Amino acid sequence: MDISKRFSMPAVIAMRREIIRADGNEVFFAGTLNENGIVTSVTAASRGTEDAVPVNFTEAGKCGVLIHNHPSGLLKPSEADLGVASDASGNGQGFYIINNEVTDVYAVMEPVKPKTICRLDSAAARTYLADGGPLSKLSEAFEERPVQIDLLEKIVDSFNRNAIGVFEAGTGVGKSYAYLIPAMLWADRNQERVVISTGTINLQQQLIEKDIPAAERITGKKIKAVLVKGRQNYVCLRRLEDASKDRDMFSEDTEILDQIADWAKNTPTGSSSDLPFVPPGNIWTRINSESDACMGMRCPYHEKCFVMRVRKEAAGANLLVVNHHLLFADIESRMNGVGYDDAAVLPPYRRVIFDEAHGIESAATSFFSGNLTRFRLLKQLGMLYRQRHGAAAGYIFTLQILSSGADHTNDIISGVNDIKECITNLELASADLLGQEAAMRLYDATVRGFGPVISLLSSLGEKIAAVAGHVREIMEDISDDDKDIPQYWETKAILRRLDESVVLCKNFSAWDEKRDIVFWIQRLRLSPALAKGSENPVYIQFTQTPLDIAPLMNTGIFEPMESVVCTSATLSIGRNFGFWMRRVGISFVEKERLLTGEFPSPFPYKTHLLFAVPSDAPFPENPDYQQYIENAIVSLIKAANGRTLILFTSYESLKNACNTARAFLQGTGINVLKQGDDDRFRLLDEFKNDTSSVLFATDSFWQGIDVPGDSLSQVIIVKLPFGVPNDPVFAARSDAVQKRGGSPFMELSLPEAVIKFRQGFGRLIRRSDDRGAVIVLDRRIIEKQYGKLFLDSIPDTIRVYVSLSEIADKVAGFLDRPQMESAD
């Protein structure tokens, strides 16, 4: 074969030289291909004898073609050659044999030619958002945002350079267009799929329904974008029919089941979000789609399957919009063996954009955690076997009839009863251990007290494994022809969950060998709606949580992806991204591959936001602090005539303050709302629509809520949001920092508090014409040295540090509203 059709002359010369240096023995080369399939450069990776050479797998993994010489001049591949060539083909690599003079070549395996990448023109991309560009012609209210264009150019650079981009974009920058336009241009020109991962349903809907269609009009490109949800969000028509036949499982909820069945006949999506009501969890988990319960092609509803429909759409899409949890589910499948070139939970992709990236550590921690509760376990066992109205029911009876093997029903019934007794004893022992504590971590200082709990968990795991084993023995003796029944596939899903419970029980027992996992228990209570009919609504949850998700994130996302863009309004602390990047694994990324940037909000904080701290407030550790904040909140609410979001770090403090406010504000026309009194979304809607309302809230309301306009004119931050020191995961991470000689306060507590504080601060100004006040009742932000880090992490504003009464006057004047009579 003409050698010039395979190799460039510099590559030929390099190989001849290395073969001479090896005294004519075999040499293994790793070759780099250009877009035409020509080997343009080689690396001599290993040297051997006249008959053999070892493969350098490190270099082999990086190259496009594996090459070695046969000193004899006979280019026929050996059995060993064919084996290596087969392995190389799985990676799209070629395998060549050459003679010592490099005048002849035998291509055992053809390589996959490198894809030609069409880089984006940054100057051309910026014109889409610039004055005189397409957006300016489509929007009457257009105003060029230089900071938005700067962000777009950085994101273009991230795509072009296969970089990891970390970009903080303040409220109002317009980051959606800044990343959508490069993503759409890239997907269109290179036929590569881009995944956009967000933290909230609201943003996903906004992207699909508003921002992506608008970006298509701006770019003139028609892009196929699909919103992909986890399969648990979709109703399974087969499971719905099965549940409708097994109505004794839903004796109190048959009306809701019937409503879902009527809806399922006409819904175009099958998504729970399209239901006109929120279905109870115990019903939805019985009828939603599940991978283990899926019958695939055997299913009578396969052609109508909502999940299959979405997957077909996603397979042909340029843009996929997902949430962080679903992306991590996909990454987990790929890390567990699927790889990155085939479909897993999602179709294959190599480029990711994280919007609301500040939440990915929390989302990953949640996803990769596992837990066990009495209710969850008994629900699974109840589907296998249960007693209702004196009659036995469950899947095992149907499966046993179909099985040709021994009868295991009595073993299973006995085993289920043993498990119920064991978990009752386990909860009693755990409650005794907790005492008055809400949660407790298993570690060196508590292991002695945990002894009975660990012993019972070990026993529980063995009993669950025994029941699962009996069920499997029944299923193994069922013929293929009889496996089409729903009970068989439902039981497969149950066994997977039981197996997960067994693993968790074993892990607790082996905690000392798993120091990279936090093991902890906590006392919880069912919500009032779920507690109805329950003899004991208090229960214990057993949880395992990764101590550090950074290595996993780096291995699963940042290393294998071509480019990853992370953007949020709150990623830095004092203009430094170090803390966040360490927490999520970006600190492992090579410096030359990392791009960062700050893109401040264009909103007029200097004139539109009053930031105040009362100088007469006691410190939070003072016994009078709660009484002070209760009176202060009432005074400030009156100063603003309602329209206030009050953010707490303690629900107990929230409840007491809310009760005081309701007493003092009675008859004023101000509607006092409290987190926990209603569904989060309904509560937020009422707050938005009732401009005389105030909302007392904690944790989840510090971020992800958007209330522009007159409904929100004041945010009160009761305390700086430091983490609870006795939170098991926080405590374990603090210990890890201390063990390596660091400062848990400076490296963990303070950075986490600053980021959360910034999120709370950001609830107020959501549009350029918004105007209002942020009041921090915790004067440590002024008096303590670390307070400067909080202040340096927010925009410049009107700032005052005076008495509470003066602040109330200033708030009333700033908002240009007559002040109501203050609380005594």
Side-chain angles (χ1 to χ4, degrees):
M1 180 179 288
D2 185 353
I3 203 77
S4 65
K5 292 182 178 179
R6 297 283 181 179
F7 301 100
S8 68
M9 188 49 65
V12 170
I13 293 170
M15 288 189 289
R16 286 173 180 167
R17 182 173 61 246
E18 290 296 337
I19 292 170
I20 290 170
R21 287 177 178 174
D23 295 327
N25 290 311
E26 290 195 16
V27 181
F28 168 70
F29 299 96
T32 300
L33 296 167
N34 66 13
E35 64 273 13
N36 296 316
I38 303 295
V39 177
T40 55
S41 64
V42 294
T43 298
S46 55
R47 296 161 187 83
T49 65
E50 287 185 8
D51 304 311
V53 64
V55 176
N56 182 325
F57 287 103
T58 300
E59 291 298 327
K62 304 174 186 176
C63 70
V65 61
L66 286 61
I67 310 161
H68 76 292
N69 60 304
H70 278 187
S72 66
L74 298 175
L75 306 189
K76 181 181 178 181
S78 65
E79 288 297 321
D81 289 338
L82 292 175
V84 175
S86 295
D87 291 341
S89 69
N91 300 319
Q93 297 169 306
F95 188 87
Y96 297 170
I97 302 173
I98 55 174
N99 61 359
N100 276 18
E101 294 76 25
V102 197
T103 56
D104 197 7
V105 57
Y106 183 72
V108 181
M109 188 68 66
E110 294 290 351
V112 175
K113 292 181 182 179
K115 186 177 180 179
T116 302
I117 292 298
C118 180
R119 288 180 169 77
L120 302 181
D121 184 334
S122 182
R126 65 177 286 130
T127 62
Y128 288 108
L129 300 178
D131 197 6
L135 179 58
S136 68
K137 295 170 184 176
L138 289 169
S139 173
E140 293 182 5
F142 173 81
E143 185 177 331
E144 184 179 275
R145 303 181 195 179
V147 69
Q148 181 186 42
I149 295 172
D150 291 344
L151 175 59
L152 177 144
E153 289 186 310
K154 274 284 192 180
I155 292 172
V156 166
D157 206 15
S158 300
F159 275 90
N160 285 341
R161 291 174 51 184
N162 289 342
I164 307 297
V166 177
F167 307 125
E168 184 172 276
T171 307
V173 166
K175 65 180 184 296
S176 295
Y177 286 165
Y179 65 69
L180 281 175
I181 288 172
M184 292 168 72
L185 294 174
W186 187 274
D188 178 65
R189 294 181 185 180
N190 292 295
Q191 294 303 298
E192 285 190 351
R193 186 177 290 108
V194 180
V195 173
I196 300 170
S197 181
T198 79
T200 61
I201 295 171
N202 288 345
L203 181 53
Q204 292 163 43
Q205 297 287 3
Q206 177 186 315
L207 288 169
I208 286 292
E209 296 171 8
K210 179 183 173 185
D211 293 344
I212 291 174
E216 285 181 322
R217 292 192 294 273
I218 294 168
T219 60
K221 307 288 185 185
K222 187 63 180 175
I223 297 293
K224 184 173 182 180
V226 174
L227 171 59
V228 185
K229 304 176 185 179
R231 67 185 304 152
Q232 72 275 6
N233 289 281
Y234 298 94
V235 68
C236 171
L237 296 174
R238 194 270 304 161
R239 297 188 82 203
L240 176 60
E241 181 186 45
D242 185 39
S244 298
K245 294 175 182 176
D246 194 12
R247 298 175 79 84
D248 71 302
M249 285 284 289
F250 306 94
S251 56
E252 298 176 3
D253 299 303
T254 52
E255 185 178 342
I256 294 174
L257 198 62
D258 290 339
Q259 289 176 332
I260 295 174
D262 289 339
W263 163 81
K265 294 174 184 175
N266 300 306
T267 173
T269 67
S271 172
S272 60
S273 62
D274 293 339
L275 270 166
F277 57 90
V278 178
N282 65 312
I283 292 182
W284 187 255
T285 55
R286 178 62 183 83
I287 62 174
N288 66 345
S289 179
E290 281 210 36
S291 57
D292 289 310
C294 179
M295 296 176 66
M297 296 296 291
R298 297 170 179 253
C299 181
Y301 291 99
H302 182 75
E303 295 299 319
K304 298 180 180 179
C305 179
F306 296 111
V307 172
M308 292 300 107
R309 192 180 301 171
V310 170
R311 285 192 169 180
K312 287 176 184 176
E313 289 290 307
N318 306 97
L319 294 183
L320 298 181
V321 178
V322 304
N323 64 23
H324 298 333
H325 194 277
L326 183 64
L327 182 71
F328 294 137
D330 180 78
I331 293 298
E332 181 183 48
S333 294
R334 297 185 186 283
M335 293 177 71
N336 288 341
V338 173
Y340 288 81
D341 296 322
D342 298 311
V345 176
L346 299 172
Y349 56 92
R350 289 287 182 161
R351 300 186 188 274
V352 177
I353 296 171
F354 283 109
D355 199 345
E356 301 176 316
H358 62 270
I360 61 176
E361 182 194 5
S362 175
T365 299
S366 172
F367 177 81
F368 291 105
S369 294
N371 57 64
L372 170 68
T373 69
R374 164 175 39 110
F375 294 108
R376 187 169 299 171
L377 177 58
L378 296 185
K379 178 184 175 183
Q380 302 309 313
L381 296 173
M383 287 189 282
L384 291 177
Y385 161 73
R386 61 188 178 276
Q387 282 278 346
R388 185 178 288 269
H389 307 304
Y395 297 147
I396 60 166
F397 298 105
T398 302
L399 297 176
Q400 186 66 70
I401 290 170
L402 296 174
S403 177
S404 60
D407 189 338
H408 294 275
T409 52
N410 287 334
D411 293 328
I412 294 170
I413 292 169
S414 175
V416 168
N417 291 329
D418 287 347
I419 290 171
K420 289 179 179 179
E421 181 181 353
C422 186
I423 199 164
T424 298
N425 293 333
L426 174 61
E427 285 204 321
L428 289 172
S430 301
D432 287 344
L433 175 64
L434 285 168
Q436 298 302 309
E437 298 292 326
M440 187 177 292
R441 173 167 58 116
L442 169 58
Y443 69 120
D444 298 280
T446 62
V447 64
R448 179 169 294 182
F450 260 95
V453 173
I454 293 173
S455 176
L456 285 164
L457 274 168
S458 178
S459 177
L460 179 64
E462 291 171 2
K463 293 178 188 300
I464 297 170
V467 167
H470 288 307
V471 175
R472 283 194 169 91
E473 287 186 44
I474 293 174
M475 296 175 71
E476 285 170 2
D477 291 321
I478 296 176
S479 68
D480 288 343
D481 292 339
D482 290 328
K483 289 179 180 178
D484 286 347
I485 61 169
Q487 290 89 337
Y488 181 89
W489 297 89
E490 291 295 334
T491 303
K492 282 186 64 180
I494 292 168
L495 289 174
R496 177 184 60 79
R497 297 189 199 101
L498 293 180
D499 289 344
E500 289 173 353
S501 297
V502 171
V503 169
L504 187 139
C505 291
K506 287 182 177 178
N507 286 348
F508 258 86
S509 301
W511 71 274
D512 195 32
E513 302 168 11
K514 299 179 182 295
R515 296 283 179 153
D516 58 342
I517 298 175
V518 185
F519 295 95
W520 52 292
I521 64 174
Q522 63 176 327
R523 182 188 288 111
L524 298 171
R525 177 181 287 273
L526 291 174
S527 66
L530 292 176
K532 291 178 182 177
S534 174
E535 295 180 5
N536 182 12
V538 177
Y539 63 101
I540 306 296
Q541 179 168 279
F542 304 84
T543 305
Q544 59 179 33
T545 300
L547 179 64
D548 183 6
I549 57 99
L552 186 150
M553 292 283 287
N554 179 57
T555 303
I557 297 176
F558 300 117
E559 269 188 9
M561 293 298 150
E562 296 288 350
S563 63
V564 181
V565 171
C566 303
T567 182
S568 168
T570 52
L571 295 178
S572 70
I573 297 164
R575 309 194 72 178
N576 187 309
F577 293 105
F579 169 75
W580 183 82
M581 292 197 299
R582 284 193 299 274
R583 299 300 303 167
V584 301
I586 294 179
S587 55
F588 293 109
V589 172
E590 303 91 338
K591 288 183 179 179
E592 58 271 16
R593 198 179 168 219
L594 182 63
L595 299 176
T596 62
E598 289 182 86
F599 303 87
S601 170
F603 291 165
Y605 287 93
K606 287 185 178 180
T607 56
H608 281 48
L609 194 145
L610 171 67
F611 181 84
V613 181
S615 58
D616 53 358
F619 285 115
E621 62 270 19
N622 190 305
D624 297 328
Y625 185 70
Q626 180 66 28
Q627 184 63 52
Y628 174 84
I629 64 118
E630 290 177 15
N631 291 332
I633 288 167
V634 172
S635 296
L636 292 167
I637 288 173
K638 289 183 173 181
N641 282 353
R643 301 173 170 86
T644 301
L645 172 65
I646 308 102
L647 295 173
F648 291 79
T649 57
S650 159
Y651 193 71
E652 192 63 31
S653 176
L654 179 155
K655 286 194 298 183
N656 292 332
C658 185
N659 290 338
T660 298
R662 281 175 170 161
F664 275 103
L665 296 174
Q666 195 169 10
T668 63
I670 294 175
N671 182 19
V672 179
L673 305 172
K674 177 169 70 71
Q675 183 178 349
D677 285 349
D678 201 349
D679 172 76
R680 182 179 186 271
F681 296 104
R682 283 194 293 269
L683 203 62
L684 189 55
D685 282 341
E686 186 175 357
F687 181 55
K688 287 179 180 179
N689 295 327
D690 184 354
T691 55
S692 66
S693 65
V694 297
L695 175 57
F696 285 68
T698 185
D699 205 37
S700 63
F701 282 83
W702 282 75
Q703 60 177 305
I705 66 168
D706 192 6
V707 187
D710 287 341
S711 292
L712 180 57
S713 295
Q714 180 175 235
V715 172
I716 300 173
I717 295 176
V718 175
K719 280 176 67 175
L720 296 179
F722 288 105
V724 181
N726 58 358
D727 172 83
V729 178
F730 182 85
R733 289 173 174 173
S734 295
D735 285 354
V737 171
Q738 195 159 21
K739 282 177 183 175
R740 60 171 172 75
S743 164
F745 179 76
M746 295 303 295
E747 294 183 37
L748 192 62
S749 300
L750 185 58
E752 283 190 0
V754 171
I755 285 181
K756 190 166 184 177
F757 171 78
R758 295 186 66 200
Q759 291 162 355
F761 175 91
R763 294 314 94 210
L764 184 65
I765 303 293
R766 309 302 298 173
R767 298 188 312 207
S768 60
D769 59 346
D770 279 347
R771 179 182 176 87
V774 174
I775 316 298
V776 179
L777 300 179
D778 186 344
R779 66 187 176 95
R780 290 179 297 178
I781 197 170
I782 301 293
E783 299 287 345
K784 299 294 184 181
Q785 188 173 358
Y786 60 73
K788 188 175 185 299
L789 198 56
F790 288 89
L791 296 174
D792 288 348
S793 296
I794 59 174
D796 289 338
T797 65
I798 302 166
R799 295 186 182 182
V800 296
Y801 183 50
V802 295
S803 68
L804 178 65
S805 61
E806 291 176 274
I807 289 173
D809 290 338
K810 288 182 180 295
V811 168
F814 188 73
L815 299 178
D816 196 24
R817 298 185 180 113
Q819 184 177 355
M820 299 175 67
E821 188 176 324
S822 297
D824 294 331

